Amino acid sequence: MIVIGKKATINNERLLSWSFSLFILFSMIREAGGVALSGIFYCFIVIMGCMLITRRRLLFPSKVLLAFAGYMLLVSVFNISKWGIDQRIVNYIVGIVIFLTMFRTLGINFGEEDWLLIFKRVSILFLIISYINVVVQIDAIIDYVHHIFKMAHPHISTLTGGGVNIDATWLAILAIPMYKSNKRWVFLALCTVYAVLVGSRAGILLNIFSFVFFIMTSAYDAKHKIRIILGFFLAIIAVMTVLQIQVEIFDVILARFVTLGSDGGSLGRLNMWRYAPDIIEKYPMGVGIGNVRDALKTVSPLR
């Protein structure tokens, strides 16, 4: 931990904690149920910016993280003459400012459990809003289930930019801060159901990784952990078999995986990943934030 400046007094830490919980949440959410929420985030930006200016002590989480962020920005600036300025550079700078604001405001005494509490709040709120978003657009979900072999995903407005895959994977990632909570299994189950509803293969796989993480961080011995993980996968097979017999819901999930490598979504990714070694060889120092697709065009015939 790097500390610069005099010690600053933390006033009403609970209020600050809730403020930052909402700050993180609204920085992630673009819209809910078709209602734009970006204006709320801009209000938080102003509030947090004032907090950053008024604090006297500046905290950096670590030298490594600071050096990595600095390197990313340096490479991005170096490549401006080649590819211009991408909006993602601004996004990363805002993210770094948010990070510094949180550390500077909450202080060095804000520990691991306190940070976990912030992200637990964000996780729960994001899950609730995600389901509200699905309920509001339930007709699109039903239409997707009825045309599962013709549609990759339901046509719904998503909370984050990038479509339903990003929403589903964010939920799976946000399950991680719940690993000490008694409600972690309920949360993970709801995240998995959401991934199934929107047909997100990445979301389903990441939820499985989160499950393994929960087990591996538990107090069980190694043999017990392996038994639980094996039992989990056997239970999934049994449940899916029953559901397939009763309501044929397995077709909805299976359809997304049997088309892996042949549908447009996965083919596009596979084609891009195929040229990753060529990009690394041509640009060993990196290409800068947001410039990967432009760099890809210089080493491949992909549009």
Side-chain angles (χ1 to χ4, degrees), residues 49-274:
C50 292
M51 294 174 68
L52 177 60
I53 294 170
T54 56
R55 305 307 291 184
R56 291 181 297 160
R57 187 173 62 163
L58 183 60
L59 303 178
F60 293 101
S62 72
K63 293 180 181 179
V64 174
L65 186 61
L66 192 62
F68 182 65
Y71 179 79
M72 287 195 300
L73 295 177
L74 182 64
V75 174
S76 301
V77 172
F78 181 77
N79 283 284
I80 285 177
S81 60
K82 185 179 295 185
W83 290 302
I85 300 176
D86 191 278
Q87 182 185 350
R88 293 175 184 85
I89 297 177
V90 178
N91 293 343
Y92 271 70
I93 293 174
V94 170
I96 293 169
V97 171
I98 290 172
F99 213 55
L100 294 180
T101 305
M102 294 173 67
F103 272 88
R104 187 174 185 177
T105 306
L106 294 173
I108 197 170
N109 296 323
F110 205 75
E112 178 185 348
E113 294 298 325
D114 301 307
W115 288 111
L116 282 177
L117 180 60
I118 282 184
F119 282 98
K120 282 179 188 176
R121 291 168 180 165
V122 173
S123 302
I124 293 170
L125 288 171
F126 192 79
L127 179 68
I128 292 172
I129 297 173
S130 296
Y131 269 91
I132 292 174
N133 194 47
V134 164
V135 171
V136 170
Q137 304 175 87
I138 192 65
D139 290 341
I141 301 293
I142 294 173
D143 183 57
Y144 166 66
V145 173
H146 289 160
H147 301 89
I148 185 67
F149 288 99
K150 296 180 180 180
M151 299 168 60
H153 302 289
H155 298 305
I156 63 174
S157 299
T158 54
L159 301 182
T160 58
V164 294
N165 269 330
I166 307 299
D167 277 12
T169 51
W170 260 119
L171 280 172
I173 292 169
L174 286 171
I176 296 299
M178 306 285 292
Y179 78 100
K180 291 185 179 180
S181 171
N182 294 330
K183 304 294 191 300
R184 62 187 181 279
W185 301 116
V186 175
F187 186 90
L188 189 60
L190 291 173
C191 291
T192 306
V193 169
Y194 180 87
V196 171
L197 286 175
V198 299
S200 175
R201 293 172 294 212
I204 293 172
L205 292 174
L206 272 180
N207 278 295
I208 292 174
F209 290 144
S210 295
F211 168 82
V212 173
F213 176 81
F214 286 169
I215 297 299
M216 298 309 292
T217 54
S218 66
Y220 301 119
D221 58 48
K223 290 184 178 179
H224 198 176
K225 289 176 181 178
I226 293 174
R227 289 172 189 156
I228 292 175
I229 293 173
L230 289 175
F232 168 74
F233 286 108
L234 290 174
I236 287 180
I237 294 173
V239 170
M240 296 313 301
T241 301
V242 173
L243 290 175
Q244 171 66 9
I245 294 172
Q246 296 296 320
V247 294
E248 298 184 354
I249 196 173
F250 193 41
D251 287 344
V252 177
I253 303 171
L254 185 62
R256 292 295 294 142
F257 284 92
V258 295
T259 57
L260 190 64
S262 60
D263 68 297
S266 61
L267 278 176
R269 292 178 177 87
L270 291 171
N271 285 333
M272 288 189 292
W273 295 340
R274 185 177 298 127

